[in-house]
Every structure is written in C-alpha cells, then in structure tokens.
Amino acid sequence: MIETIASVELPADEALRIRKQRIVPVSLTDPDCGQGTEGSAGKEKLKRISIVTGIHGDELEGQYVAYALQQRIRRQPEALHGIVDIYPAMNPMGIDTITRGLPDFDLDMNRIFPGDEAGDMYEHLADAIVRDVEGSDLAIDIHASNIYLTEVPQIRINILTQRRLLPLASTMNVDFIWIHENATVLESTFAYTMNSRRVPTLVVEMGVGMRITRGYGEQLIEGILETMKGLGMWSGRTCPVRKPMISRDPQDVVFLNAPASGLFIKNLEAGANVHRGDRIGALVNPLSGEIIQDITAPCDGWLFTIREYPVVQEGSLMGRILRGKEYHVSMQDRQEENI
C-alpha cells in the first residue's frame, strides 16, 4: 500500500511528495482479521522495520534494495509477520536531477534533521519523515558512496550506540562494521536523530554514486531478511550471512591519499586482500605519458575502499585499507553485476 507521508506545494501546480510502500502480513489484508498494527488475535503489536534511502539524490544503491526486497517478500507473503515500510526516495527532487543535496538550496538533506514542522519546506519534510519512522523497531538508512569511490557493504556506528546496534548490525550480511568515535558523528543526521529517539538505526554504506551494484544489493537484502527473522518478522528462506570484520580503533584504517595531481589507474577492486608493497594502482601523467608514482600498499590488510573516478588532485582519497586484516570471502565469490 503506497502512502504519502508529506506533501508541499510547488510553483506551476506541482507538488513535492515523499511516499512510502507499506507491506503488511497477509492476515492483515483479510477484513476478518482486524486492522491496525496488531496481530490477528488483536493482542500483540506487530514489529515494524523501516527501510530508508534516497536522502542523497546521487546515491542509487538503495533504490535497487527497495525494489528487490519487495520482490522477495511478495514471493513468500505468508512468511511476513511484521510491517515493512520502504521509503525509496527521501529526496525525490535530488534523485530526479541527479543532485546529491537539495536542488537550488546548496544544502545536504542529511544535515537538517530532526527538522521543524513550522520551518521551511525541507525542514517541514524532515520533521514529517522523523514522525513517520518513529516507533519502528529498526530503521535501516541505506547510502552509497559518492561518484569518486566504491565502498564494500559496511555499517557505520557511533561508539555511543554500539552496545545496542552491534548485535543487529552483525546479522546484516555486510563485510565490515566501522565503529566511529563520537567526535566524527553529526547530530543533524537522520540516523543520529532516530537513535536519539530510541529507534535503533543502522547506517549502510555500499557501492558507488550514480550506479547500481546488484551484487551488493542482493547481499544486503539477505541480511535484512535474516535480521527480520531475528526480530520474529520473517519465517521465509534466508541464506547464511557473512561474519563482518569490526573496527573500533581509528588506527586500524589506513588512508591512501594522492601524493600529486594526475590520473589514478587502479589495479585492484574494493574487497581485495593486500600485502605490504602490493601495487594498488598508478598515478600517471596523460600529457607526458609517464608514471608519476606507483601506489602501493603501505601495510598488510584489506582494501575496503577504492577510487573509481580517475582524476585526482594532491591529497585526494584513493583508497582505505583495514590494517592487518584479511577477509574470508574471495572476490570470485561475490558475483557482482553492475548496471
């Protein structure tokens, strides 16, 4: 059932609407079974999970998850025992215009939460989003990387919420859980707002901007269903989930920054295990036809971020390595398909 959770009038008889798809158990579609969010016996309140994506208009990985998760649930509707709310486009104008932020406002939507019902247009929309998601037993905020970098599927957690969120994140079938110091957390984000309102909210980062990586999307869907099973919301088929690597120490992550401006030609993909001295790529000069510098691994570890957009300036991020770790799933097992 598609619902409009917020709408504001625009010039020229147009309207900006934020909508969601609500999927309920088969029993609740039967008029003899009652209404609302209680079970057929009318005693136990059904659990609810909210899948949120599209806060940044150039991040489309979550769009595929929104579509494909519905397909999976519809193949086994009798296995659903809770409410699934899917919000595929929190920033619909950004998606329509391929703009990361809010068009014409030079503003990141993920910096205006919790919003204000009486505020300007986007503050009003942010407030409506928060009020609609509030009460969920779990919210999953799906992001992609930008157009410059590819990230393996990972969940990022504020150190202050790790005790509550880590058990949920561990069943989400991601490769990596990155626990950040509190100083790096922005209080104006959707995830911080919902966690502060006692809605457990996981932030997923995966893939690359303006693209869909189907392998990553399917991987995350398996994790969502397994997590729903743990919450008693799903009894259908699930696949075994991966055991993620976890980083708590900021010194675990090594950043690879460009030593000069040039063209970065990568040799490895995100998810590769590396040893000290391995060639990750090369920084080249297309004018002179010379290699400016080979980019090699400064340590043993696992390459979980790699540069996709080849033009770099001095200091540009080219990759991240999780120091001293080796991942247990080979790249051949991923079977990623980009569209």
Side-chain angles (χ1 to χ4, degrees), residues 152-172:
V152 302
Q154 62 195 263
I155 288 176
R156 300 181 181 179
I157 296 176
N158 178 353
I159 194 170
L160 297 179
T161 58
Q162 64 171 319
R163 180 174 297 180
R164 187 181 190 192
L165 297 183
L166 191 54
L168 293 165
S170 297
T171 62
M172 283 287 292

Side-chain angles (χ1 to χ4, degrees), residues 27 101 103 106 136 145 151-152 182 185 204 213 230 233-234 295:
S27 60
D106 192 27
S136 299
S145 185
E151 301 275 7
V152 302
N182 192 44
V185 175
V204 176
T213 313
M233 299 178 63
W234 180 254
I295 306 301

Side-chain angles (χ1 to χ4, degrees), residues 55-159:
I55 287 177
H56 292 135
D58 63 348
E59 298 179 358
L60 305 178
E61 302 283 8
Q63 298 272 301
Y64 178 77
V65 174
Y67 154 76
L69 179 60
Q70 293 183 63
Q71 293 288 309
R72 285 289 299 275
I73 293 173
R74 287 169 182 164
R75 287 201 290 268
Q76 289 183 283
E78 72 286 349
L80 182 64
H81 309 293
I83 297 172
V84 180
D85 281 340
I86 298 176
Y87 305 77
M90 289 302 202
N91 179 10
M93 290 180 64
I95 291 174
D96 287 347
T97 58
I98 323 176
T99 303
R100 181 172 181 80
L102 303 171
D104 298 326
F105 283 80
D106 192 27
L107 183 65
D108 186 336
M109 188 176 186
N110 212 24
R111 301 294 182 271
I112 61 174
F113 289 97
D116 182 353
E117 184 177 10
D120 65 24
M121 178 175 72
Y122 281 109
E123 289 177 322
H124 174 80
L125 293 174
D127 172 76
I129 292 167
V130 169
R131 286 189 286 109
D132 201 76
V133 177
E134 209 161 13
S136 299
D137 295 279
L138 174 64
I140 301 172
D141 181 17
I142 304 174
H143 292 261
S145 185
N146 52 37
I147 64 171
Y148 302 101
L149 302 167
T150 289
E151 301 275 7
V152 302
Q154 62 195 263
I155 288 176
R156 300 181 181 179
I157 296 176
N158 178 353
I159 194 170

